[in-house]
Amino acid sequence: MEIGVCVLLAFLFHQVAHVGGQGDGGHEGCVPGFQVKKYQVMYRGPFQKGQRLLQVEFDDCAGNEDVTFGVSDPGFHVDGDLNLVPLRDLLHSEPVLFIRGLSAHADDLAQVDIIGTPGRSAATLGDIVGQKLPYRSKRSLLVPNISISENERGPFPKFIGQLEVSTTDYSGNLIEGPQVFRIKVIDQNDNRPIFKEPRYTGEVLEGSPTGTTVMTMTAFDADDPNTDNAVLRYNIVKQSPDKPSPNMFYIDAERGDIVTVIAPTLLDRETLPTTTYELEIVAKDMAGSEVGLTGTATATITITDKNDHAPEFTHPLFEAHVYEGSTGVVVNLTVDDRDDPATAAWRAMYSIISGDPIQSFEIQTNPDNNEGMLSVVKPLNYEASEFLSLLIRVENEDPLVPDVGYGPSSTATVHVRVEDINEGPVFFPDPLIVTRMENIPVGSFVASLNATDPDILEKQSIRYAVLQDPAGWLSVNPVRGTVNTSASLDRESPYVYDNKYTAVFIATDNGTPPATGTGTLIIHLEDYNDNAPYVLPSVARVCEDAYDVTVAVVGGWDKDLPPNAAPFKIELGKQPDLDKTWKVTRVNSTHSQIMLLRSLKKDNYQLPLLITDSGVPPLSNNTEVKVQVCICNKNRMHCSSAHSHHARFLVPLATLLLTLLSRT
């Protein structure tokens, strides 16, 4: 008899004995395992993914809880309804399939014959039971494998088996040489499943469909992964709180995926007793059997908010009173929103739909209480409108979820009543700009002020007065508002900036109480040639032995503006014989140079000059330039500190000397 057949018979005998020995925990008369051991399937072409080929009959006599099935061909599996189905499209299969059913109360095999398949080589029973069966070989060695369980107790050393010095083949012939002696350590279930963290957190959006994955719980077992010692099954043992249902969530026993079970309509954050649920998760090895070891962890699940509630005004009508001319908050608009506070699904945004054509109002959201603060940003006018009606809309920062709309309670009306006050007179135009010539006679007309009272429904009079007149040049008629000069206007005054003189006037009505308004008058002053030019610099130096040299370059200056200033004419003063010692030559329209025609002795001399501007009529100015004649020695000048001699005495003195010399 072939070795494989012997092993098969031994295995089947063992299975019968094993199943028969499990009668203590099953139903009376029930034989755990496959109720039909052999099945047939006709091959009529390629197998299609998900095609139901047959339904097996399996009963572990304990309710078939936690039953797992294995198929010798990995292209097939047994689904939850005990149907044998392909996992993918298959062109062929093995002619014989073995199905293994395993639970805590049963371990059994069934055979499926595929009739007519152009299949591959048939699977052996050893492929299913997880053992590599020995096969007959002419030169096979009879070296036995020895197994020992981990964690065995002593005393040590401990006998585990025996191997003779030589080894023979199946024919009894002696085979010499060293042989491999294999000892297999059998794993024991001595490690509990361990979660990486004691507490896990997850979130699920309210209203999520049933079956929505929330999170995945994963534990690890250090035992042999090829044995049931490390095959884990997950279970929820406690949910807190247990309302509205104790089974709001489900965990996939094999993968550890936590999914929602509760209906979407019940997963409502605003109606649930809490927004946070805690689940106690147990992971058990031995594929979840009663003898398996366990590990625990906690899953905290938060029900997050979505915008499924529109904000609603607490009142359909709000009223506000505001004084004309004022700005600021006039009323706070209150709303209710059942969504999670401080989220975009709760925060309100307000808008004015109608009633504000010139945009006199704006609404800001108070971040603390979600109220809308309606403010006046452009002052209102009682005379234009005593009453305003605004239509306000409120919505959230986040859009509403589909199928939820804004109702009439998301709009409200605000009645604004404008209160009249006595407004001050208003100048027009403001500022008032006029142009006048400086030095016009005192009492000359300058301008006429125009102020009106905005309170057109009241009959009120206005009186004018000077509020600011820095130079004291103006006066105003209190009734007519005409402005006249009370002093000479001077463009060169320090109170004039950029040729402009500014004064402020006040207008007061006779209301109760009186109200005032201010207006500005700007006078642009035109220039009049009323300032004579002058020369700079006023001092020059030259060495005593110098002659026919330029002593200085002087320039003309004038407080007036063109054409009442440059070009300037600079010439020697009207004194005789000055041109024999000095010479003035024009450089450009503003400057001229002074030349010394003969040498002079050390002293200070006053040179008279005459400068004339280009005004109509022109203005002239007699001025003097102090010329210091110094002794020059090694780049140093020694000048006299005595008083200057007037240049007009130089010529008579020179003439006298020449006369005396000629007589001798």
Side-chain angles (χ1 to χ4, degrees), residues 493-510:
S493 167
Y495 297 107
V496 176
Y497 303 94
D498 193 23
N499 302 322
K500 299 180 181 68
Y501 180 73
T502 302
V504 180
F505 297 85
I506 186 171
T508 306
D509 64 20
N510 61 345

Side-chain angles (χ1 to χ4, degrees), residues 332-333 335 346-351 362-374 394-395 397:
N332 290 322
L333 309 175
V335 295
W346 176 81
R347 289 191 292 268
M349 298 189 304
Y350 298 85
S351 57
E362 73 174 14
I363 307 177
Q364 299 290 335
T365 302
N366 188 325
D368 297 327
N369 54 23
N370 223 23
E371 292 182 356
M373 300 179 292
L374 179 65
V394 63
E395 52 193 339
E397 290 183 6

Side-chain angles (χ1 to χ4, degrees), residues 19 27 65 146 161 164 186 236-238 240 335 341 351 366 400 413 459 472 492 516 528 539 546 559 592 594 625:
V19 173
H27 302 292
E65 292 185 0
I146 297 177
E164 296 184 2
I186 301 174
I236 300 175
V237 298
K238 184 180 179 181
S240 178
V335 295
S351 57
N366 188 325
L400 286 173
T413 302
K459 301 299 182 181
E492 291 76 30
T516 61
Y528 180 80
V539 177
K559 292 182 180 180
S592 297
I594 300 174
V625 174

Side-chain angles (χ1 to χ4, degrees), residues 134-189:
Y135 60 93
R136 189 163 197 169
S137 175
K138 186 174 182 180
R139 302 286 293 180
S140 295
L141 300 178
L142 297 178
V143 180
N145 288 334
I146 297 177
S147 299
I148 182 173
S149 177
E150 68 169 330
N151 300 325
E152 281 199 2
R153 298 181 179 180
F156 299 102
K158 187 172 185 178
F159 178 80
I160 59 174
Q162 182 173 345
L163 179 67
E164 296 184 2
V165 178
S166 275
T167 304
T168 60
D169 60 15
Y170 285 112
S171 300
N173 298 319
L174 182 66
I175 301 175
E176 297 181 355
Q179 303 298 321
V180 178
F181 186 60
R182 293 181 175 87
I183 300 175
K184 181 179 181 181
V185 179
I186 301 174
D187 182 52
Q188 284 189 338
N189 190 21

Side-chain angles (χ1 to χ4, degrees), residues 489-649:
L489 305 180
D490 183 7
R491 191 196 64 83
E492 291 76 30
S493 167
Y495 297 107
V496 176
Y497 303 94
D498 193 23
N499 302 322
K500 299 180 181 68
Y501 180 73
T502 302
V504 180
F505 297 85
I506 186 171
T508 306
D509 64 20
N510 61 345
T512 305
T516 61
T518 59
T520 301
L521 172 63
I522 298 177
I523 305 174
H524 187 279
L525 293 173
E526 294 181 335
D527 186 44
Y528 180 80
N529 194 19
D530 56 347
N531 292 277
Y534 55 95
V535 172
L536 289 177
S538 60
V539 177
R541 286 183 175 184
V542 68
C543 296
E544 67 175 352
D545 57 350
Y547 64 92
D548 196 19
V549 297
T550 299
V551 176
V553 175
V554 295
W557 301 89
D558 198 320
K559 292 182 180 180
D560 293 317
L561 297 175
N564 296 323
F568 299 109
K569 180 181 179 182
I570 303 175
E571 55 187 337
L572 293 174
K574 302 300 182 182
Q575 295 183 13
D577 298 328
L578 280 178
D579 56 350
K580 295 180 180 180
T581 305
W582 307 95
K583 181 180 180 181
V584 178
T585 305
R586 183 174 182 177
V587 176
N588 52 35
S589 63
T590 58
H591 288 74
S592 297
Q593 64 180 0
I594 300 174
M595 296 188 65
L596 179 63
L597 301 179
R598 62 185 182 86
S599 60
L600 297 175
K601 294 297 183 181
K602 175 185 176 184
D603 209 338
N604 295 332
Y605 302 89
Q606 292 295 126
L607 175 62
L609 297 175
L610 177 66
I611 181 171
T612 306
D613 63 22
S614 298
V616 179
L619 292 180
S620 299
N621 185 22
N622 288 303
T623 184
E624 292 181 339
V625 174
K626 179 180 179 181
V627 180
Q628 292 181 300
V629 179
C630 309
I631 297 176
C632 299
N633 186 4
K634 294 182 180 180
N635 298 325
R636 298 185 64 182
M637 299 182 72
H638 300 279
C639 303
S640 175
S641 59
H643 295 294
S644 303
H645 292 285
H646 286 279
R648 60 179 176 270
F649 298 132

